[in-house]
């Protein structure tokens, strides 16, 4: 519980990160978002490796953003100095997801109202394909792909599909995107391009709205 007299700001926007913090540790949520205290950094022994991997991930995501924005792959690949990032970018180009058919929107942020709150999703790549089929693609640079059952319970999977089902009309000519037309794909660059795919359906959409409203309340 928050300390007496403390509360979230009126304009607070929930995200998969803040909700995951709350699910895992309400005290962590209180410290970070209500009391505004800095959360401890990673262990010192792992800090340099952590920072290196973060920098690699940011570089990789920026390359994909540039490519999806229309810059040719060849000069982008030629600009990569890091061996891991070069390998990841080559795997991305070979994956088929780089050219998913439809209107592609890289680094797209969508905020929707849910109950008395606002909920945000930032998609690495959103593809609106023929017939309103929507793909949410998330590029991951972790060392291995996690189990699908674990990943399916993560707030990112819950929030991203729900937000698109609630606000997808912004990208589909004012028409809502039915839940059954939505699929989320996690793609793992450092795991030989393994994917974890999560379809959606109306019953899950309804259950997710109830769960998310309860967490935010």
């Amino acid at each position: 519980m928050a300390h007496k007299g403390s509360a979230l700001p009126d304009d607070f926007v929930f995200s998969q990160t803040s909700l995951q913090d709350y699910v895992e540790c309400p005290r962590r949520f209180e410290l970070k978002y209500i009391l505004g205290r800095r959360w401890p950094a990673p262990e010192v022994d792992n800090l340099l490796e952590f920072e290196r991997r973060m920098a690699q991930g940011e570089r990789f995501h920026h390359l994909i953003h540039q490519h999806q924005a229309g810059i040719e792959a060849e000069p982008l690949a030629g600009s990569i100095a890091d061996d891991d990032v070069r390998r990841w970018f080559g795997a991305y180009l070979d994956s088929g997801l780089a050219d998913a058919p439809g209107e592609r929107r890289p680094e797209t942020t969508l905020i929707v109202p849910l109950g008395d709150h606002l909920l945000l999703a930032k998609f690495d790549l959103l593809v609106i394909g023929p017939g309103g089929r929507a793909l949410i693609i998330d590029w991951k640079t972790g060392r291995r792909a996690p189990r699908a059952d674990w990943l399916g319970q993560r707030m990112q999977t819950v929030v991203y599909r729900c937000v698109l089902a609630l606000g997808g009309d912004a990208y589909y000519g004012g028409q809502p995107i039915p839940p059954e037309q939505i699929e989320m794909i996690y793609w793992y660059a450092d795991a030989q391009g393994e994917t974890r795919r999560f379809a959606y359906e109306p019953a899950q959409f309804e259950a997710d709205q109830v769960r998310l409203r309860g967490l935010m309340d």
Side-chain angles (χ1 to χ4, degrees):
M1 299 292 291
H3 293 310
K4 185 177 180 180
S6 63
L8 291 170
D10 291 338
D11 59 352
F12 187 81
V13 180
F14 286 89
S15 67
Q16 58 102 356
T17 302
S18 61
L19 289 171
Q20 191 67 53
D21 280 332
Y22 182 77
V23 168
E24 292 180 354
C25 179
R27 175 61 173 164
R28 183 199 308 166
F29 181 95
E30 180 187 17
L31 289 170
K32 289 176 66 174
Y33 303 103
I34 296 178
L35 301 180
R37 296 181 184 174
R38 186 177 178 182
W39 188 249
E43 294 293 332
V44 173
D45 290 346
N46 298 323
L47 186 57
L48 290 178
E49 175 64 12
F50 174 81
E51 290 178 343
R52 184 182 75 86
R53 295 288 295 193
M54 287 290 291
Q56 286 179 318
E58 290 173 1
R59 173 62 172 148
F60 178 62
H61 279 77
H62 184 60
L63 285 163
I64 293 179
H65 189 184
Q66 290 178 297
H67 182 243
Q68 289 294 329
I71 299 177
E72 294 291 332
E74 186 173 348
L76 288 174
S79 72
I80 303 172
D82 185 283
D83 290 341
D84 288 333
V85 177
R86 185 184 302 110
R87 174 169 53 84
W88 297 345
F89 191 66
Y92 151 78
L93 294 174
D94 292 338
S95 69
L97 296 176
D99 302 311
E103 181 183 1
R104 298 195 294 275
R105 295 175 173 268
E107 301 292 339
T108 295
T109 299
L110 180 59
I111 300 174
V112 299
L114 181 57
D116 296 327
H117 308 285
L118 295 175
L119 183 60
L120 173 149
K122 184 174 181 180
F123 310 119
D124 284 351
L125 180 62
L126 176 63
V127 183
I128 308 298
R133 175 170 166 73
L135 292 179
I136 302 166
I137 303 175
D138 201 79
W139 318 107
K140 297 295 190 185
T141 56
R143 293 195 181 280
R144 59 178 179 268
R147 299 191 322 270
D149 59 343
W150 178 86
L151 192 58
Q153 294 299 313
R154 300 289 289 178
M155 282 292 106
Q156 184 174 12
T157 307
V158 175
V159 168
Y160 280 26
R161 294 180 303 174
C162 187
V163 165
L164 186 58
L166 287 169
D169 57 318
Y171 309 119
Y172 192 47
Q175 298 297 314
I177 299 175
E180 61 271 21
Q181 291 283 83
I182 295 172
E183 182 181 16
M184 184 163 185
I185 303 174
Y186 294 94
W187 184 86
Y188 290 86
D190 214 21
Q192 293 75 51
E194 280 190 52
T195 60
R196 299 288 184 267
R197 294 174 175 258
F198 296 90
Y200 213 29
E201 58 185 32
Q204 187 63 58
F205 176 44
E206 294 299 325
D208 287 346
Q209 290 179 79
V210 172
R211 182 184 182 193
L212 290 169
R213 287 182 66 164
L215 288 173
M216 292 188 291
D217 287 344

